[in-house]
Amino acid sequence: MRGRKMSEVRSRWLKSYAIVLLIPIVMMSATYFQSRQVIREEIDKANSALLLQLQQELDNYIDFVGRLTEVVSLNDNVAALIRNQGELGIPERLSMVKALADFKAYNIAKRYVDHFYLYFHQGNFVLGDNSIYETDTYYDLYIRSTGLSPEEWKARLIQAQWGGFSNLYGNGGGAAGKVVYSQALPIHQNAASGATLAIELNEEQLQTSMGNIQTYNEGAIYILSSGGQLLAASANAGARDRIMETAAGIKNTAGTIAAQWGKEEMMLSYVQSERTGFTYIYALPARLYSEKAEYVRNMTVLTLALAIAAGSALSVYMARRNYHPLQRLVREVVERSKLSPQGSALTNEYRYLEEAIDQALDDNTKMNQLLENQKKTIRSSSLVRLMKGRFESGFPLEEVLPGHGIRFWPGGAAVMLFYLEDYSGFFRQDEQDEGKKRDFVHLIVTNIVEELAGQEHQGWMTEIDELLACVVNFKEGTSHEDALDSLKHLAEEARRFIGNRFHIHFTISVSSVHNTPGELAAAYQEALEAIEYRLVLGVQTIIWYDSIKHQELSYAYSMEKEQLLINYISTGDYHKAKETLDEIIGSNLSQPCISVDMIRCLMFDMCSTMMKAAIEANLERSELYKDNLQALQELMNGMTVSGMQERMTVFLGKVCGHVQERRKNNKYRLKDGALAFIAANFRDQTLNVGGISEHLGVHPSYLSRYFKEQTGDTLTDYINRYRVEQAKPLLAQNDILIKDISDEVGFYSISTFIRIFKKYEGMTPSSYRENGKTQEEP
């Protein structure tokens, strides 16, 4: 057994070390390929930076050329020569001399421009920056060496219109001549061209600029115009015909492309200028990229070989060296443990040690869980006894409670009660075990609240009388105000966090702050009394005992209000009935500290009123009485005032709906028809009972008696009152005369209007209008 076990363990270790050796091999291989890519990217970045530097320097050339073109075009002597070049008299020759003097000042440094000249088309002469030439003389001195014929040279100059750089003297194809900026003068879109300004860039300075940015002697720089013409190239640049073909495939404004120039693979970095459209290309043989990468590869291979040789020898040594402590450990465990090697543990030391450790940990975990459960049970029992005052007077609480994990600080304590309202959103619909669900919710709330309380002070949670209670103990030196602030923060944070994260909603009641543990019984009673106020304040609220301890032992519900509510219900006026119901409940809830018992009495009275209203309406609907009876039962079971108010509102809707159904017969439609006819014809001064009864097809005396029974007013009183109500908005408009208002609302005369208005409103129309002005003033 011993020899077999040693061979197996050592074999595993050797395999592990071999795998470990593969890691640096893979990493070095990846490093090599990454280094090759990085080297290439860095060279590309360096080339792009150099090209940008060249572009910026060329921009200086262009800026100078632009300024030079501007001053030459604005020169008065040049303008005079262009206008009068056909006849060169003394004034024109004097202008030539003055222009030459100006030209020498324009390009005195000759840093960017070699020289420039003006070719006059009609006069057929050239005005240079240092002398005046006949066209043929200038051609022989400066142009003939370029290979252009006189006719080609003149044609190219005459074709130049709106300015641009070109290889003016190039013979086409890939050959490059001097970079020349040509511009037709004068510079006006509608003016005929009379002369051409040609500005030759300083070729020597341009070559120096391109040479300064070359990092490799084998690299070459090319400058192409926006039209794809080769403008300039570095001194060592070759394959000028191939650069034109390669540049035609460039799509982006910057980047690097590969190209095959004969047998040589080339890497071309390019940048296009947004300002001029020039393309700057730096061509470099691809082999220069790989030379550095090959060096890195060779170093990588050498390092790998050394690492493998040293790692193999070290692996064998470490495998043998590390096995001896393991062998001694297994022997000691076998001697001390009750577990005998069985199955795979006979051939594998690790498996045997794992089983032995698992068994020891399982035994230890079970013991700890048992002790922890017993500790929690004893602690909860102690807290319950403490809050219910079941410790006898003189009992040594300060000595006993620490043994149960409860060590009170001298900063005072308070009790918080948690009434679970709803936690259905935390569970799936198929989970039906209410007991397990409730226990799980208790565990979540307990852990979170204890953790929140422990951030500044300390707290202990327990279950008591189907509620969750938290005893919050404040640290020493906590003032009464700070304690209340901490309780407020704890309650709000617990409600927010648990509600948002776990969809568990509850109502919290908080007792006053007490000084000693012996006063926790009083604190619990305060919190218990406060939780009763969820009936008044609603669910998912925080109720403070200090805010409800002074209770009002009466409520306001007069007989007049009750009769008014009954009347509205009997007539089916749902909106008025609901408004009265809300007013009665709201006015009582607005009383400070009204007791829960008084609220219950008010709700019972309101339910009784509902029953009376249904009886007076002669409704024989058994479901209405069942609804009212169910509301009473829910009120006794702790339904909140807001919930009870909602139920009463639904009951009102049902009763008023049944009343409205009864009013839909012909008898009730008669009143509605009369009211609608009055509303449509109140402006008619001849409106009376006879006209209304004729419209409705009934006898006038029957209509008058019926209308009086239904509304309490005679038809005449109702018409007059309706007209007065319609006149009020018109009186608020000061630009309408009272006489016009009287006619508008249907009164026969203004005196009748004034008399009727005063009868119902207690003041004349003019007084009513003045009162309206006074109320509008600040």
Side-chain angles (χ1 to χ4, degrees), residues 296-339:
V296 173
R297 185 191 64 181
N298 295 335
M299 293 300 298
T300 302
V301 171
L302 179 60
T303 304
L304 280 175
L306 294 175
I308 292 173
S312 300
L314 186 61
S315 298
V316 175
Y317 170 74
M318 293 299 296
R320 297 183 60 183
R321 183 173 180 272
N322 292 336
Y323 179 74
H324 294 293
L326 176 63
Q327 187 179 34
R328 291 194 302 270
L329 178 61
V330 171
R331 288 176 181 175
E332 292 180 2
V333 172
V334 171
E335 293 175 357
R336 298 184 181 184
S337 176
K338 298 179 180 179
L339 180 65

Side-chain angles (χ1 to χ4, degrees), residues 420 423 426-427 431-444 463:
L420 296 177
Y423 48 82
F426 181 63
F427 297 96
E431 296 182 82
Q432 303 296 331
D433 193 335
E434 289 297 328
K436 290 184 178 179
K437 288 163 63 175
R438 189 174 184 85
D439 290 342
F440 190 38
V441 170
H442 282 192
L443 178 63
I444 292 174
E463 185 176 355

Side-chain angles (χ1 to χ4, degrees), residues 688-694 697-707 715:
N688 55 27
V689 178
I692 298 173
S693 61
E694 182 180 356
V698 297
H699 195 274
S701 60
Y702 173 79
L703 177 61
S704 298
R705 184 175 64 257
Y706 169 77
F707 194 86
L715 270 170

